[in-house]
Amino acid sequence: YKTWRLNERMYGKLEGLSKRDTAVEFGNKVVQAWRRGFNARPPPVDLADPRYPGHQRRYSQFVDKELIPRSESLRDCMERTRP
């Protein structure tokens, strides 16, 4: 059984960027807060962005693409993966 709820955390606009480049752009403390903070979410990816997972064919069965997160905190991941 496959479900999108078991995906890795969605880092929003940080998806695909190196840690070093992200720290230079946003500042190391802010990036660490996003990565390690329980409630902190990175900036969300735009729906038109190619990195948004809703564009992938495997998610075509979703009528409401808003169910797929555009950015997540650790808390969001915990809630999403809870049975």
Side-chain angles (χ1 to χ4, degrees):
Y1 184 75
K2 296 180 182 180
T3 177
W4 65 274
R5 294 183 183 279
L6 297 178
N7 287 352
E8 292 184 25
R9 181 178 175 187
M10 176 54 169
Y11 280 95
K13 287 187 177 182
L14 308 183
E15 286 286 326
L17 301 177
S18 73
K19 292 177 189 173
R20 180 179 299 159
D21 293 343
T22 305
V24 168
E25 184 175 344
F26 296 102
N28 196 46
K29 285 188 177 189
V30 172
V31 172
Q32 290 303 315
W34 288 335
R35 295 188 74 232
R36 305 230 186 319
F38 192 64
N39 294 311
R41 287 187 191 116
V45 69
D46 296 324
L47 293 175
D49 192 308
R51 296 173 292 181
Y52 174 60
H55 298 304
Q56 298 175 14
R57 193 174 79 176
R58 62 180 155 177
Y59 300 117
S60 62
Q61 76 269 16
F62 292 110
V63 175
D64 185 4
K65 300 289 186 192
E66 289 296 317
L67 292 175
I68 300 171
R70 296 172 45 208
S71 179
E72 291 181 295
S73 67
L74 291 172
R75 177 188 294 263
D76 296 331
C77 284
M78 185 179 78
E79 293 297 322
R80 173 172 50 86
T81 57
R82 185 174 288 171

